[in-house]
Amino acid sequence: MLLVAPLVSVPLYETLWDRIHGSKRLTDEDEWVWQIEVLQKLPIHFLATEVGFYTIHFAMHSWPSLYQHVHKIHHRFQAPTAMTCVYAHPLEFLVGNLLPIYLGPIITNAHPLTSYFWFAAAIIGTCKGHSGYRIFGCADYHEEHHFYYKYNYGGMYVLDFLIGTMKVSS
């Protein structure tokens, strides 16, 4: 993953961002308008990440060949640790892990400061989700996913709750 992120995914997604927004892409020189960035764009980042991650993750569990050849690598650990969040097949890391995080900032043409915050928050959240600890009193249900395999596909569990794939251990 040390090579996939900087050499493949970042250039790929940055190129996609440039092609979509061209000269209108926001840069560090543009004013950061918090009302737009925080109140309008960040909710879209949450939604895009949840829909993207849930959909791709669910698909990897639903299609046997995808699970067997790609996603099963990540499931070697039943009790994951923060480091196992990046223990994945390169294709899964590129499409299943990083693309959903990039989608919101690309769609909204987020200011770089908003994007940096979003990427950092996503990385911290992913590590938290694989840590097995209650942090700030909040449990994370991804550990149940590694134990039961057919529940808790989302990153924020909104779609799991709505679709009925959420499992909370007692």
Side-chain angles (χ1 to χ4, degrees), residues 22-131:
S23 64
K24 295 184 184 197
R25 181 175 178 180
L26 296 177
T27 67
D28 290 323
E29 288 82 35
D30 291 308
E31 181 183 3
W32 186 79
V33 182
W34 75 267
Q35 295 93 334
I36 294 172
E37 296 295 323
V38 174
L39 301 177
Q40 292 177 13
K41 293 182 180 181
L42 277 180
I44 294 169
H45 299 183
F46 278 101
L47 182 63
T49 299
E50 178 68 359
V51 170
F53 186 76
Y54 182 95
T55 304
I56 294 166
H57 196 187
F58 186 83
M60 285 191 284
H61 279 267
S62 299
W63 296 341
S65 60
L66 265 180
Y67 183 83
Q68 184 67 32
H69 301 292
V70 178
H71 191 54
K72 188 175 181 179
I73 293 169
H74 179 71
H75 275 278
R76 287 184 61 189
F77 302 94
Q78 268 195 324
T81 64
M83 287 306 296
T84 61
C85 67
V86 295
Y87 189 79
H89 187 282
L91 181 63
E92 177 179 1
F93 190 71
L94 178 69
V95 177
N97 294 355
L98 295 180
L99 178 61
I101 294 168
Y102 253 92
L103 277 177
I106 290 173
I107 291 167
T108 64
N109 191 24
H111 190 279
L113 291 176
T114 307
S115 301
Y116 303 150
F117 168 78
W118 179 249
F119 298 145
I123 291 166
I124 291 167
T126 302
C127 290
K128 178 202 173 290
H130 287 83
S131 72

